[in-house]
Amino acid sequence: MNTAPTPQPSSRPAAAAGGLHDDAEDRRLVACVCAHELAAFESLYRRYHPRLCRFLHRMLRPEHLVEEVLDDTLYVVWKQAERFNGTSKVSTWIFAIAYRKALKALSRHEDPLPGSAEDDADHPAADPSERPEARMSLTQARAAIDTALRGLSADQRAAVELTYFHGFSYPEIAQIVDCPTDTVKTRMFHARKRLRTAFGGQLDDWL
């Protein structure tokens, strides 16, 4: 496994997970990384480490794969920064690397993955007796969605995660997962359908 340089501790707080960053600053940092400036890579690392961790935790079930894929992703950023061609946001480029690495890790893992968008019949709705009786709070909804995401296929899970927790648009997600924008919309449609079915419509405020 490749290993990216590990940033030294900093007195400055790391960027909040899921927060949106200034793309101009990201581009400046990537340009500096191309010149092998370790300090620039450390800054980029701290900006993206929390977001990538959250994304990969939802994409990958075995815990050890998260660290492996995260490290491989950041290694590519460090060693191949010159491959960023400026046609997308830096965040889109980095998440595309993480997505590809995650899919490769999933393909190597022996556990079967959740089904595709077309097999909704194989995933019946949750028992009504197990559904929350009251309207969900934001915290409850997020926890419920996190659990429900485990029942989605990897591509649906990525679409939901990138939309709701990282603020990417459908065209940006299409770039990340390398598919047409309409395909992303289709995945989101099926993902929302499953989530709403599983929770009896109580997630409508969040979906």
Side-chain angles (χ1 to χ4, degrees), residues 87-197:
T87 59
S88 69
K89 291 181 178 179
V90 171
S91 58
T92 303
W93 174 65
I94 292 178
F95 271 82
I97 296 170
Y99 179 75
R100 290 194 299 270
K101 294 289 185 181
L103 289 187
K104 288 181 181 179
L106 285 171
S107 69
R108 296 196 306 267
H109 195 259
E110 60 184 10
D111 288 350
L113 299 178
S116 66
E118 288 75 22
D119 64 339
D120 288 324
D122 295 333
H123 296 267
D127 188 330
S129 65
E130 297 176 353
R131 296 172 186 164
E133 296 299 328
R135 179 174 293 276
M136 293 182 177
S137 67
L138 177 59
T139 300
Q140 289 173 323
R142 284 176 173 171
I145 290 173
D146 188 60
T147 299
L149 283 173
R150 297 295 181 180
L152 302 179
S153 62
D155 52 12
Q156 291 172 352
R157 197 157 63 243
V160 172
E161 170 71 11
L162 293 169
T163 298
Y164 290 111
F165 296 95
H166 297 278
F168 287 105
S169 66
Y170 286 169
E172 289 170 337
I173 295 172
Q175 288 183 299
I176 290 171
V177 303
D178 192 24
C179 73
T181 300
D182 283 346
T183 299
V184 175
K185 293 178 180 178
T186 298
R187 291 173 181 176
M188 284 296 298
F189 171 81
H190 287 290
R192 287 192 183 108
K193 179 180 177 182
R194 284 192 181 182
L195 293 173
R196 285 176 175 141
T197 299

Side-chain angles (χ1 to χ4, degrees), residues 38-129:
L38 183 57
F41 175 74
E42 290 177 344
S43 294
L44 203 61
Y45 183 107
R46 292 191 181 96
R47 288 166 77 88
Y48 280 92
H49 187 277
R51 298 181 69 190
L52 291 173
C53 274
R54 181 154 69 181
F55 175 64
L56 293 172
H57 271 293
R58 289 200 173 98
M59 284 292 295
L60 303 167
R61 281 175 289 184
E63 190 69 22
H64 72 277
L65 288 181
V66 174
E67 289 301 323
E68 176 185 324
V69 172
L70 178 61
D71 198 58
D72 285 349
T73 298
L74 293 170
Y75 180 82
V76 171
V77 173
W78 169 245
K79 298 296 291 185
Q80 300 180 20
E82 70 280 356
R83 291 194 176 185
F84 175 65
N85 58 21
T87 59
S88 69
K89 291 181 178 179
V90 171
S91 58
T92 303
W93 174 65
I94 292 178
F95 271 82
I97 296 170
Y99 179 75
R100 290 194 299 270
K101 294 289 185 181
L103 289 187
K104 288 181 181 179
L106 285 171
S107 69
R108 296 196 306 267
H109 195 259
E110 60 184 10
D111 288 350
L113 299 178
S116 66
E118 288 75 22
D119 64 339
D120 288 324
D122 295 333
H123 296 267
D127 188 330
S129 65

Side-chain angles (χ1 to χ4, degrees), residues 22-34 37 40 43 90:
D22 177 11
D23 188 58
E25 175 63 8
D26 282 349
R27 288 171 182 267
R28 185 190 70 79
L29 291 171
V30 169
C32 292
V33 172
C34 287
E37 294 184 18
S43 294
V90 171

